[in-house]
Amino acid sequence: VQVVESGGGLVQAGGSLRLSCAASGRTFSDNAMGWFRQAPGKEREFVAQSKWAGGRIYYADSVKGRFTISRDNAKNTIYLQMNSLKPEDTAVYYCAARSWPGHIDRPWRESEFDYWGQGTQVTVSS
């Protein structure tokens, strides 16, 4: 199984980027997939999560109203549309996927994801 992110880059504050995460080796339509990020000198933090295709979506408070997570099951890919970017959004963004569905009434924690990408750098200049 491979999970590969793309779409990072340098953008000015107020701009937009769309990150992609392509999974290969198996399908994840019934499993949670999500995005996390790690800024320099900080711990990795949750950004957004899709429980399963068409399932509940969660966002970190810091990105609500600005970021949108979506899935394309045919391509086994998830996306993160990031609008109104701020310098504090600068981080390495990681895609993650769970190996089995499960059902809980809360977002999956970072430790509960099984597959991780290598990350893609997003830099927002002021």
Side-chain angles (χ1 to χ4, degrees), residues 2-3 8 13 21 27 29 33 44 50 55 57 60 62-63 86 89 92 94 98-99 107-108 110 117 124 126:
Q2 274 196 316
V3 177
C21 171
T27 60
S29 58
M33 296 185 73
R44 190 157 56 186
S50 168
I57 289 175
S62 59
V63 307
K86 305 175 181 180
D89 294 318
V92 177
Y94 296 91
R98 281 183 49 82
S99 61
W108 294 104
E110 179 181 343
V124 184
S126 57

Side-chain angles (χ1 to χ4, degrees), residues 9-26:
L10 173 64
V11 65
Q12 288 189 332
S16 298
L17 281 175
R18 189 175 84 151
L19 305 183
S20 300
C21 171
S24 60
R26 56 168 290 180

Side-chain angles (χ1 to χ4, degrees), residues 103-122:
H103 295 284
I104 54 173
D105 191 23
R106 61 165 173 80
W108 294 104
R109 300 187 182 98
E110 179 181 343
S111 61
E112 294 170 321
F113 283 85
D114 305 289
Y115 304 109
W116 291 85
Q118 292 299 307
T120 185
Q121 176 71 47
V122 171

Side-chain angles (χ1 to χ4, degrees), residues 1-5 20-28 33 73 75-78 95-97 115:
V1 175
Q2 274 196 316
V3 177
V4 180
E5 308 95 337
S20 300
C21 171
S24 60
R26 56 168 290 180
T27 60
F28 289 93
M33 296 185 73
N73 290 332
K75 297 181 179 179
N76 217 22
T77 298
I78 65 167
C95 176
Y115 304 109

Side-chain angles (χ1 to χ4, degrees), residues 53-69:
R56 188 163 180 178
I57 289 175
Y58 298 92
Y59 295 99
D61 288 343
S62 59
V63 307
K64 278 181 183 176
R66 301 187 299 122
F67 290 11
T68 302
I69 188 172

